Amino acid sequence: MGSKKFLAVEGIRGVACLMVVLSHYSLAFFPYLHSFDDKAPDGNFQIQSFIHESPLGFFYSGTSAVFIFFVLSGFILTEITKQASNRKLIETCLKRYPRLMLPALCSCLFAFCLYKMAQPSSEYLTSWVNGFGNMELTLFGALYNGTVDVFFLSGKSDFNPVLWTMKIELLGSFLIYFLCFNYSRNLVPFLSLGAFFLIVFLTKFRLIELELGFGLAAFIIGYAFSRKGVEVSFSVSISLLFVGLYFAGAHNGSWSYTGIYSLFGDYTYYYCNFVSGFFIVYAILFNKKINVLFSSRAMENLGRLSFSIYLVHLPLLGIIGVASFNIFYSYIGSYILSAIVASVTSMFITYIVSEVFYEYVDNKGLRFSAALSNLVLSYYSTTKNIKKEDV
């Protein structure tokens, strides 16, 4: 894969991360943009109502962004490992869990420290954001949640709710490694296609959770893009992108999705956001002109910080965002202005914290996981008297 595509992957990740952040900020300060529970009262919140009824929700579609993440992970992991030796595949498998676990664990500890210091709330904000930190706060709980629970058990986190994606990310990664191993050794033909339909079947009959099934399916789509993706013209790419953005803006009950809602009902939001990731990723990666836009230095920098921003923004929103809203509202008296200023303040602090988190957690965790996998393989090779090139 060309270097431009690698850079574009980072750029797409950065934009998708921003979509997640905007989704959570809207849930905190402008909940009628989503209107998951109730639509805005008649005559009030006209701007929020207009955006909710339109396809413009793609700007803050956190669910679409998550599926973009999964498709990108399937794509990039396939690119990295599809020609890998046995040793390289084993090394990649060994380092995947610590690579994900260390930043996730540190985000739980970070949230634990924040919640111990303060748990501000506001009668003017939603129960969703006011509920952050309202659980039994123990150091052991944070350690256990960040190392075991979110990866192998519940897949949920009260300390940092965004960690629900970690279980899917880990299992999806191992699925891609297995498919790449099978493909390079010509073991079972059409295994990826069979795996895709098996996952769809299991999800359809609720034998596996909806989020897990759709997430793993998105990984396989990314795998297929890496194997079979071809360049498309600018006009085709733009068309695919607009279709993807339209699906990403879906909300149940939104006027713009009445036809789709009549077919899928309350699953409209989830199905549309699931499909949106395929169109958006393909449109950007497989056209050179659009690819270049997502390969800029600014996009690359945003992508570099995307994982760190993803992991720290929600605890900071629950503490800094709510506290700053309370302060500004007490002086300004305007809800909208206070919410905007609080959002900007919280985002700025999130960016600063993300730089530190990237340097001392994400980056060092990546190096540590690589060193750990090499150590394990070296030890195995020594004890079994096996040459490295034969592993």
Side-chain angles (χ1 to χ4, degrees), residues 119-173:
Q119 294 181 34
S121 62
S122 172
E123 61 179 304
Y124 302 103
L125 299 180
T126 64
S127 59
W128 179 81
V129 73
N130 278 323
F132 288 177
N134 293 337
M135 71 280 195
E136 184 179 357
L137 291 170
T138 66
L139 180 59
F140 174 79
L143 291 169
Y144 178 76
N145 187 241
T147 56
V148 177
D149 199 23
V150 297
F151 289 100
F152 305 109
L153 298 175
S154 72
K156 309 294 181 184
S157 176
D158 289 330
F159 291 91
N160 193 3
V162 300
L163 295 181
W164 71 269
T165 61
M166 291 297 102
K167 183 177 182 178
I168 301 172
E169 189 72 37
L170 183 64
L171 293 176
S173 299

Side-chain angles (χ1 to χ4, degrees), residues 60-283:
Y60 56 93
S61 180
T63 304
S64 174
V66 165
F67 287 119
I68 289 173
F69 285 143
F70 292 154
V71 174
L72 285 174
S73 291
F75 177 84
I76 197 70
L77 290 175
T78 304
E79 288 289 329
I80 293 171
T81 60
K82 62 184 178 183
Q83 300 297 334
S85 63
N86 286 1
R87 177 184 171 83
K88 183 64 176 178
L89 273 172
I90 295 172
E91 178 185 331
T92 306
C93 288
L94 286 174
K95 70 182 181 182
R96 191 57 176 167
Y97 168 66
R99 191 272 175 273
L100 295 172
M101 180 274 293
L102 290 171
L105 170 61
C106 289
S107 76
C108 286
L109 295 174
F110 176 67
F112 169 77
C113 294
L114 282 180
Y115 299 150
K116 275 295 186 181
M117 289 188 295
Q119 294 181 34
S121 62
S122 172
E123 61 179 304
Y124 302 103
L125 299 180
T126 64
S127 59
W128 179 81
V129 73
N130 278 323
F132 288 177
N134 293 337
M135 71 280 195
E136 184 179 357
L137 291 170
T138 66
L139 180 59
F140 174 79
L143 291 169
Y144 178 76
N145 187 241
T147 56
V148 177
D149 199 23
V150 297
F151 289 100
F152 305 109
L153 298 175
S154 72
K156 309 294 181 184
S157 176
D158 289 330
F159 291 91
N160 193 3
V162 300
L163 295 181
W164 71 269
T165 61
M166 291 297 102
K167 183 177 182 178
I168 301 172
E169 189 72 37
L170 183 64
L171 293 176
S173 299
F174 288 134
L175 174 60
I176 294 300
Y177 300 149
F178 179 70
L179 292 177
C180 287
F181 175 82
N182 174 79
Y183 186 90
S184 62
R185 276 71 182 175
N186 296 314
L187 299 177
V188 181
F190 305 108
L191 181 62
S192 59
L193 189 63
F196 180 84
F197 284 111
L198 176 61
I199 289 170
V200 170
F201 174 83
L202 295 175
T203 306
K204 170 67 176 178
F205 292 97
R206 298 296 185 269
L207 297 175
I208 60 176
E209 296 177 347
L210 186 70
E211 292 85 356
L212 177 60
F214 276 55
L216 294 179
F219 266 85
I220 296 177
I221 293 296
Y223 170 89
F225 285 177
S226 175
R227 294 288 182 191
K228 304 296 183 181
V230 295
E231 294 287 329
V232 294
S233 66
F234 182 73
S235 59
V236 171
S237 181
I238 286 292
S239 299
L240 293 175
L241 184 59
F242 274 103
V243 170
L245 293 178
Y246 171 75
F247 283 132
H251 283 104
N252 296 338
S254 171
W255 181 86
S256 298
Y257 300 87
T258 302
I260 300 177
Y261 187 80
S262 66
L263 295 175
F264 299 111
D266 290 340
Y267 289 104
T268 297
Y269 174 79
Y270 207 80
Y271 288 170
C272 285
N273 280 275
F274 170 65
V275 172
S276 71
F278 311 158
F279 286 96
I280 292 171
V281 171
Y282 198 95

